[in-house]
Amino acid sequence: MSSGPQAQVTLAPPAPVFARRTLADRESVLGPLMLAPALVYVILLVGVPFVLAILLSFSSATAGSLDFNWVGLRNFTRLLSDPQFHRSLGNTLRFMLVSQVLVMVLAVTAAHVLDAAFVGKRLVRSLLLLPWAAPVALASMAWVWIFDSTFSVVNWTLKVLGLLPGWLYWFGEPGLATVAIITVHVWRMFPFATVIVLAGMSAIPQDIREAAVVDGAGFFRRLFHVNLPMLLPVVTVAVLFGVVFTATDFSVVWLLTRGGPYNSTHVLATLAFQRGILGANLGEGAAVALFLLPVLLVAAVVMLRLARRAEVGT
Amino acid sequence: MTGRAVLRGAKRVALYTAAAVFTVFAVFPFYWMFLTAFKQNRDLYVGATNLQHVPWIFNDPPTLDHVRLLFFGTPYLVWVKNTALVGLAVVAITLGVAVPAGYSLARLAGRWGERLGIGIFLTYLVPPTLLFIPFARVISLLGLQNKLGALVLVYPTFTIPFCTWLMMGFFRSVPRDLEEQAMIDGYSRLAVIGKVVLPLAVPGMLTVVIFAFTLVLQEFVYALTFISQVERMTLSLGVPVALVRGDVFYWGSLMAACLITSVPIAVVYSSFIDRFIAGLTAGAIKG
């Protein structure tokens, strides 16, 4: 290190290197410069509209004119005494909870099936992914047709099996419409959750699984005492995205029922659209949508925790 | 011994049954699109009260009438063109913004990189549902209603956060030694990125292209909010909204459109899904 001649030998050549040390080499400039477009985009087109969403909810803005009147909490107080809003809030939570419970049961089961060895496994796996990958608006139209009031194949099949004495008007009755909406949510989300859980299962060390088998643990003991506890973080991620996607969903409810019959299946997203865009009352629409914020905040906090865990873990 | 064999046999049967049930549930709507798209009308529009007529199969020979009507009697091809234009523009913007940002976060931003990366990723959780109302105002201020430009402007808000996160993961997996070696050889950082890092990140960029494009194809809320003119619609808006005349649905053509549009996307998408999942679960799975 300290031998003079050697140090001189290494010092001699750098001259041309220094000459080339321009912008292309200054990482303190290059780093922010490369990041800037993404940050600017996100701040201008997510951050600003987000703030605007909050501001609009305190205003009486309409789609037609461009003025902006501050009305304080009026939109919110009006909503809190609006039975249709209560119904929408309840529906959002109900659709989300019921579909997520079903999704997780199906996903853990399907992941265990796909984890076992059988002929045609790869094919089954890729077919299971179809509902998640297909555009949701188009898939919803297929379900609209499946649940059609005169041509429903579901009704035909139930009739033939002798399980249906009367007739099911799927979108004509609040209870049935709810069943239809939840069916589509479950259909769409369970493949996604299955793949996540499966990825988590393959990350469980093989020796732990084998040790449980050797120790004589049965299937359910292994499931509840080994697999599920080890899967917890990954199941959390699956639930988290499931919750965010179903709670904020607009397309499925809008295309299946338009919030009907008699406005009984509106969720926050569709009600916000109806009031804010179709009804041109931007302020009230923004206020409705803002009630989704608590769900998103919880999701963000859990995400941050998981990310921190990973940071500490590695 | 035979008891055990029976048990094992029963387990196999249960396994295959479960696999079959899941597959049928997942595939059934696509099978239904297929049947509807190619059935003749007199085979299609038979009320479900007629129990003698089995709707699960072709009772009459299949027909191409609905597909023909879709291509030549509806604006379907215009929507394909619009979707392709918007998709290409959004993919270009996303690549141009997310790739440098991903590299910067992975290599140049130091310990802030991780946090900023998570911050950008979290914006992916801010859903269109929350933003379409303020955007409605922004778009009308900019005079972009009924213009594809509105979609090109807004769609990167969800492709950029996710793709930046994906690219960050990709660049992390490029061995640092390679880059350092090249810099010792006298290349500048920028030259290293161009000559060493980017060629290695091609699979990552391909993933970004696929995801940005499929996310565009999937989007519905913004399109519905900004576009009301039929000739300006994209596929995911036009097919469910504008293939209805009055109250009459053209189910044959509608299902043909759904089938032709979603199956190719689904196939491409599912071949890339493992990377998507790896991006979402980074942190929850330690590999």
Side-chain angles (χ1 to χ4, degrees), chain A residues 20 27 31 41 65 125 248, chain B residues 36 104 129 137 153 186 189 274:
Chain A
R20 256 190 286 144
E27 293 178 8
Y41 216 111
S65 71
R125 186 174 181 274
T248 64
Chain B
T36 309
S104 174
T129 313
R137 169 140 284 200
L153 183 72
R189 175 65 88 164
D274 289 323

Side-chain angles (χ1 to χ4, degrees), chain B residues 62-247:
Chain B
T63 169
L64 283 173
D65 285 351
H66 305 306
V67 181
R68 214 171 288 134
L69 178 69
L70 177 71
F71 278 102
F72 304 111
T74 73
Y76 182 77
L77 290 176
V78 176
W79 300 333
V80 170
K81 192 193 79 189
N82 290 345
T83 310
L85 284 176
V86 173
L88 282 178
V90 171
V91 163
I93 293 174
T94 308
L95 270 184
V97 172
V99 171
Y103 185 81
S104 174
L105 290 173
R107 284 286 188 269
L108 303 175
R111 67 195 172 84
W112 281 98
E114 182 82 26
R115 296 204 184 137
L116 270 175
I118 292 171
I120 289 184
F121 180 67
L122 281 182
T123 60
Y124 181 66
L125 289 178
V126 180
T129 313
L130 206 61
L131 297 182
F132 71 83
I133 287 182
F135 268 132
R137 169 140 284 200
V138 171
I139 293 300
S140 70
L141 277 176
L142 295 173
L144 284 172
Q145 301 109 312
N146 272 320
K147 298 220 168 82
L148 292 178
L151 304 181
V152 174
L153 183 72
V154 170
Y155 284 177
T157 57
F158 52 84
T159 58
I160 287 176
F162 187 71
C163 293
T164 301
W165 178 259
L166 263 182
M167 286 314 296
M168 186 174 100
F170 260 97
F171 286 128
R172 285 238 173 96
S173 68
V174 174
R176 245 174 221 275
D177 299 357
L178 276 179
E179 292 171 56
E180 277 158 13
Q181 189 56 51
M183 285 198 285
I184 288 170
D185 290 347
Y187 286 112
S188 71
R189 175 65 88 164
L190 212 55
V192 169
I193 295 173
K195 292 191 174 137
V196 180
V197 180
L198 284 186
L200 286 173
V202 166
M205 291 193 281
L206 201 62
T207 315
V208 165
V209 170
I210 298 291
F211 278 114
F213 206 87
T214 46
L215 285 174
V216 166
L217 271 165
Q218 302 238 5
E219 209 287 323
F220 178 70
V221 188
Y222 287 139
L224 182 68
T225 310
F226 306 147
I227 311 279
S228 54
Q229 220 173 314
V230 173
E231 317 80 85
R232 297 283 167 78
M233 289 181 174
T234 53
L235 278 171
S236 64
L237 177 65
V239 172
V241 171
L243 277 184
V244 189
R245 233 162 267 168
D247 259 353

Side-chain angles (χ1 to χ4, degrees), chain B residues 254-277:
Chain B
L254 192 84
M255 288 298 111
C258 290
L259 187 74
I260 296 167
T261 316
S262 44
V263 168
I265 301 169
V267 169
V268 174
Y269 195 80
S270 44
S271 60
F272 277 83
I273 196 123
D274 289 323
R275 284 180 189 161
F276 181 77
I277 299 296

Side-chain angles (χ1 to χ4, degrees), chain A residues 143 145-148 151-161 163-164 167-168 170 183, chain B residues 28 32 48 55-56:
Chain A
W143 284 101
W145 174 226
I146 287 166
F147 287 127
D148 188 273
F151 304 107
S152 172
V153 61
V154 180
N155 285 10
W156 184 90
T157 310
L158 289 175
K159 273 276 186 206
V160 165
L161 295 175
L163 295 171
L164 182 63
W167 194 250
L168 300 176
W170 288 97
T183 305
Chain B
F28 160 63
W32 207 245
W56 289 92

Side-chain angles (χ1 to χ4, degrees), chain A residues 19-38:
Chain A
R20 256 190 286 144
R21 207 179 147 77
T22 53
L23 177 69
D25 238 344
R26 286 174 47 202
E27 293 178 8
S28 57
V29 179
L30 209 54
L33 205 64
M34 287 167 71
L35 189 58

